[in-house]
Amino acid sequence: MKRLQQRVLLLFFCAIFSTHYAHATSLALNKSQLASIKQQNMGKRWLMLLWSVDCPPCFKELTTVKQLKQKHPQLNVVLVNTDANDEAIVEQLEIIQEYQLTDLTNFHFAVDQGDQSRFLIDPHWYGELPRSYFVTKNGEFHGKSGVISQSILARWLIE
C-alpha cells in the first residue's frame, strides 16, 4: 500500500510541475532503452554521463556540459540520473531545467532498480560518481570515474 501511495504522490507532483517542466523529460533506463540509444549513436562518438542529485562533483560536469552545449548545440550527450527513488524524480527534472539540458537525452534509474541499472550499464562499476562513459563510433564503452575536465570533454564531443 505504501508503494501505491508513493506512486500516486509522484504522479500528483508530476502533474503539478508538468507545465513548468514541459520540456524536461526523463525515461526510466532499461535494457531496451539502452540498446536503442546505442543503436541510434552507432557510427558516432558520444558521452554517457551518470549523475545524482546528491553529488556536488556531478554538478561541475553538468555545468561543463551546459557551457559546451551553449557553444555547440549539437553535443551528443546522454544523461543518466542514478537516483533510483521516487523522491528524486522531481528534483532531477528541476536540475535538468536549471542547467538548460532539457533537449539532451535524459534517463533515470527505475525506482528500486539501482543495482540492476548499474549492472546493465557496466557490471564492473560499483556506483561511484560522477561516472562518464566515452563511447566510440563502433559502440565500445570506456568508463571513467571522477570529474572530467572541460578540455577532455570538448575534445571528445566536438572534434
Side-chain angles (χ1 to χ4, degrees), residues 17-32:
F17 291 113
S18 65
T19 55
H20 183 68
Y21 301 108
H23 302 292
T25 59
S26 178
L27 299 171
L29 185 69
N30 60 39
K31 189 175 184 176
S32 65

Side-chain angles (χ1 to χ4, degrees), residues 10-78:
L10 174 64
L11 290 173
F12 173 74
F13 280 118
C14 287
I16 289 174
F17 291 113
S18 65
T19 55
H20 183 68
Y21 301 108
H23 302 292
T25 59
S26 178
L27 299 171
L29 185 69
N30 60 39
K31 189 175 184 176
S32 65
Q33 292 286 359
L34 185 58
S36 176
I37 206 72
K38 287 178 180 180
Q39 183 62 39
Q40 290 172 14
N41 287 295
M42 193 56 73
K44 303 180 243 178
R45 290 191 329 187
W46 58 287
L47 177 77
M48 178 183 284
L49 178 65
L50 288 86
W51 67 284
S52 169
V53 299
D54 296 322
C55 171
C58 296
F59 296 120
K60 290 180 183 178
E61 282 197 341
L62 292 176
T63 298
T64 299
V65 171
K66 174 185 174 181
Q67 292 168 346
L68 288 171
K69 193 175 146 313
Q70 287 172 339
K71 295 176 186 172
H72 307 278
Q74 301 304 321
L75 286 185
N76 202 4
V77 177
V78 174

Side-chain angles (χ1 to χ4, degrees), residues 51-56 58-59 62 81-83 85 87-96 129:
W51 67 284
S52 169
V53 299
D54 296 322
C55 171
C58 296
F59 296 120
L62 292 176
N81 178 269
T82 62
D83 299 300
N85 60 66
E87 295 82 24
I89 292 176
V90 172
E91 189 174 356
Q92 170 205 351
L93 295 176
E94 290 173 348
I95 292 166
I96 293 301
L129 294 171

